Amino acid sequence: DIQMIQSPSSLSASVGDRVTITCRATKIISRYINWYQQKPGKAPQLLIYAGSTLQSGVPSRFSGSGYGTFFTLTIRSLQPEDLATYSCQQSHTAPHTFGQGTKLEIK
Amino acid sequence: VQLVQSGADVKKPGESLRISCQASGYTFSNYYIAWVRQKPGQGLEWMGFIYPGDSDTTYSPSFQGQVTISADKAINTVYLHWSSLGASDTAIYYCARQSRPYGDYEVFDFWGQGTLITVSS
């Protein structure tokens, strides 16, 4: 299986901050990476697919980048409603494994 | 599009269980449905998926032989079945629709609300 190593596992930031979460794949996956947001007590929601394409309705403060094995999710100006856990997922090879998640707290 | 899952359940170790995920709002046979496990306080785990059109099923090696995924096209429903539960199966289980928004990039674009399964003696 391809492992997705995500960091940090948790972080705390203030409203307005720029936040970056990284994901490293143990094999080359081109841009076959998705990012999901999971708010407390809710099901995950798709944020970004194909490495950098925003899902419809996702605010433009979210962005994704990377290619090959190293990827980032960036929130340009953190908002209170961004309190959530963020997870990467590779869709290059089944099983489509997830990273272990990053829990984002608002200071 | 909606995926509606069966309700929470409490079972004893060794018991069997089947949970369901009923889809609506799209052509059920044309999209894979996956199951994803989330243990308390932990990350998401891809368990496997099924193509309801022909019931072709793929499992993660971690879950192969531990669960069975099936589908009933007549009622637009996908199932996840255990023949013998263990305490380590305590988790929230999500179903999710897999689609291809662009090229061969695959995503989970719609999710069920989750089903909490508690296994305890």
Side-chain angles (χ1 to χ4, degrees):
Chain A
D1 298 0
I2 297 174
Q3 291 183 57
M4 302 299 287
I5 301 162
Q6 193 173 336
S7 64
S9 56
S10 66
L11 74 98
S12 182
S14 300
V15 172
D17 282 355
R18 181 186 180 95
V19 169
T20 298
I21 297 166
T22 66
C23 220
R24 181 175 64 83
T26 55
K27 294 181 182 177
I28 292 172
I29 59 169
S30 181
R31 288 194 182 90
Y32 289 88
I33 185 166
N34 308 318
W35 292 94
Y36 296 88
Q37 176 192 63
Q38 186 176 22
K39 295 188 175 181
K42 300 293 187 184
Q45 287 188 296
L46 178 65
L47 279 180
I48 288 170
Y49 62 92
S52 60
T53 303
L54 260 60
Q55 174 72 340
S56 175
V58 173
S60 59
R61 63 179 180 275
F62 290 92
S63 64
S65 65
Y67 184 89
T69 62
F70 190 78
F71 305 89
T72 61
L73 170 70
T74 299
I75 308 174
R76 190 178 66 240
S77 177
L78 192 66
Q79 298 301 303
E81 61 266 31
D82 299 334
L83 166 73
T85 297
Y86 295 84
S87 300
C88 60
Q89 179 204 26
Q90 64 84 14
S91 62
H92 182 274
T93 306
H96 294 174
T97 42
F98 291 89
Q100 62 269 50
T102 296
K103 187 175 183 179
L104 175 56
E105 296 176 338
I106 311 296
K107 285 181 186 173
Chain B
V1 175
Q2 269 198 310
L3 300 176
V4 178
Q5 298 184 224
S6 48
D9 208 341
V10 179
K11 306 293 282 188
K12 289 181 168 34
E15 291 185 328
S16 65
L17 176 67
R18 189 180 75 171
I19 63 174
S20 65
C21 170
Q22 186 170 39
S24 62
Y26 71 97
T27 303
F28 177 67
S29 296
N30 292 356
Y31 291 82
Y32 284 86
I33 294 283
W35 287 99
V36 177
R37 183 174 79 177
Q38 187 168 40
K39 289 187 171 184
Q42 297 188 26
L44 303 167
E45 299 175 90
W46 190 97
M47 301 176 69
F49 60 18
I50 189 166
Y51 188 72
D54 59 8
S55 290
D56 180 47
T57 309
T58 299
Y59 296 93
S60 165
S62 300
F63 292 93
Q64 180 83 48
Q66 308 304 308
V67 296
T68 302
I69 298 172
S70 61
D72 186 339
K73 288 191 291 186
I75 55 171
N76 287 3
T77 300
V78 172
Y79 300 99
L80 180 64
H81 175 260
W82 293 261
S83 57
S84 179
L85 286 159
S88 62
D89 295 315
T90 294
I92 296 173
Y93 293 86
Y94 293 100
C95 62
R97 189 184 81 162
Q98 180 170 293
S99 71
R100 289 186 170 187
Y102 174 75
D104 60 351
Y105 290 99
E106 294 169 333
V107 304
F108 292 155
D109 59 349
F110 290 93
W111 295 67
Q113 81 276 20
T115 297
L116 174 62
I117 302 301
T118 305
V119 184
S120 175
S121 53

